Amino acid sequence: MKLVAAAKVRRAQDAVVATRPFSETLQSVFGGLIERLGADSLDLPLLTSREVKTATLVVVTGDRGLCGGYNNFIIKKAEKRIEDLQAQGIKVEIITVGKKGTVFMNRYRKDLVVATYECGQNPSSVEATAISNTLLNRFLGDNTDTVEFVYTRFVSLIASTPSSRTLLPCSATGIETQEDEIFQLTSKDGDFSVEKTVIPAAEPQDFPSEMIFEQDPAQIINSMLPLYLNGQVLRMMQEAVASELAARMQAMQSASDNASDLEKNLSQQYNRARQAAVTQEILEIVSGAQALEE
């Protein structure tokens, strides 16, 4: 089971690396347009902050168990965030991604759930697009004022952090300056390990001042923001899946270690009991022989 989970982790990290060129290009073009127009001059719906009366939480969990406390930790994180928002008088909506979160929220927070999605072992752009379209429709339709993602951020094979990240409204100055991290699962001295690579933000693309755009650059940015949102949703789903698989690797390793310890302890107890029985039989034979001699 540990080796199976490790193979799935490798596939998950390969998927993250495969989407990196598109993300870099998008970030570069976006940064160039921001430099050309200036962040303060942008007046776009997805970049506009407003008074928060309704908040949408997207809770990302796994579809299966046998992964330690992975699902419990993220559900507790979501519950804490729901209580904090409600204490501030903010209405909360929930969108669940993953069967475990869906089952829990439908049981205890059914009145808050507005949509549910599954999260398989290999998230695709199709699934991410469906989720991002729902978020865009609710935000642009004034059904919600902010969207937060509650997911598990991958740190290492033995550590992952339940995190909350605001996805909408977007921040123009945060997109073009955002760094990225890539984790590679490797083997060293017969053990699994993770190599972390920090990738700096892509350099803004240079648009000459004499360049004439067929469309207004603000409209170009407005059309790029859904692509950026879709990429971020896919990335967070991939990171959550990688965290789940890493947690399953550790759970399977712990189960194997516990089974080995149990086998060792039972063998020791059996050997001790057998040795005691043999010793008792020898004592009985010796005592019988001494009795006959007397």
Side-chain angles (χ1 to χ4, degrees):
M1 290 294 289
K2 179 183 177 181
L3 295 178
V4 171
K8 291 181 179 179
V9 170
R10 291 295 296 270
R11 286 200 296 268
Q13 73 183 20
D14 290 343
V16 172
V17 173
T19 60
R20 181 62 199 168
F22 174 78
S23 300
E24 286 182 343
T25 303
L26 185 65
Q27 189 180 42
S28 176
V29 174
F30 193 91
L33 291 173
I34 291 294
E35 286 188 353
R36 176 74 178 270
L37 296 176
D40 297 333
S41 63
L42 295 176
D43 184 17
L44 302 175
L46 294 179
L47 300 178
T48 303
S49 299
R50 52 190 185 231
E51 182 184 357
V52 179
K53 297 180 180 179
T54 304
T56 299
L57 295 185
V58 183
V59 183
V60 184
T61 60
D63 286 341
R64 297 185 298 170
L66 297 177
C67 51
Y70 169 81
N71 292 311
N72 289 333
F73 291 151
I74 199 66
I75 288 174
K76 288 180 180 178
K77 177 73 174 181
E79 284 287 292
K80 181 65 168 57
R81 186 57 181 157
I82 293 171
E83 293 173 358
D84 292 343
L85 291 172
Q86 291 179 338
Q88 301 174 30
I90 298 175
K91 180 183 176 182
V92 178
E93 297 179 344
I94 298 175
I95 295 178
T96 60
V97 181
K99 292 181 180 179
K100 290 296 183 179
T102 299
V103 170
F104 180 88
M105 293 300 174
N106 281 335
R107 180 176 299 176
Y108 298 103
R109 301 276 188 178
K110 188 174 183 179
D111 55 324
L112 304 181
V113 178
V114 296
T116 61
Y117 297 91
E118 292 187 2
C119 181
Q121 300 295 299
N122 187 22
S124 65
S125 59
V126 176
E127 297 169 338
T129 300
I131 297 172
S132 61
N133 286 342
T134 299
L135 299 179
L136 286 172
N137 292 335
R138 300 197 68 80
F139 185 79
L140 296 176
D142 293 332
N143 294 316
T144 186
D145 301 308
T146 184
V147 175
E148 295 183 16
F149 242 79
V150 183
Y151 72 109
T152 304
R153 184 173 179 272
F154 185 83
V155 178
S156 68
L157 286 178
I158 60 175
S160 54
T161 305
S163 304
S164 176
R165 176 183 173 185
T166 300
L167 200 59
L168 290 174
C170 299
S171 173
T173 57
I175 296 176
E176 79 277 12
T177 59
Q178 187 176 12
E179 293 183 342
D180 200 358
E181 295 178 346
I182 292 181
F183 298 90
Q184 294 285 343
L185 179 64
T186 61
S187 58
K188 183 178 181 180
D189 298 331
D191 295 325
F192 290 113
S193 62
V194 171
E195 294 180 356
K196 175 181 175 181
T197 304
V198 178
I199 300 177
E203 291 293 331
Q205 186 168 336
D206 183 23
F207 294 106
S209 58
E210 63 272 11
M211 178 179 288
I212 299 175
F213 292 92
E214 291 186 0
Q215 290 182 316
D216 183 10
Q219 294 181 358
I220 298 176
I221 292 178
N222 194 40
S223 63
M224 289 173 60
L225 286 174
L227 294 176
Y228 169 77
L229 179 67
N230 184 28
Q232 292 302 303
V233 170
L234 178 59
R235 178 58 187 269
M236 285 185 282
M237 290 176 64
Q238 291 172 336
E239 196 163 349
V241 168
S243 300
E244 178 191 358
L245 294 174
R248 183 167 289 113
M249 282 179 58
Q250 295 303 314
M252 294 301 100
Q253 182 62 46
S254 297
S256 298
D257 293 342
N258 291 337
S260 297
D261 293 340
L262 180 61
E263 180 185 12
K264 180 179 179 180
N265 292 333
L266 290 176
S267 296
Q268 288 179 347
Q269 293 180 14
Y270 170 77
N271 290 333
R272 288 172 182 172
R274 183 174 60 84
Q275 187 64 38
V278 171
T279 303
Q280 181 64 30
E281 291 177 359
I282 293 175
L283 290 176
E284 292 176 356
I285 293 172
V286 172
S287 298
Q290 290 178 350
L292 290 176
E293 291 177 357
E294 294 177 356

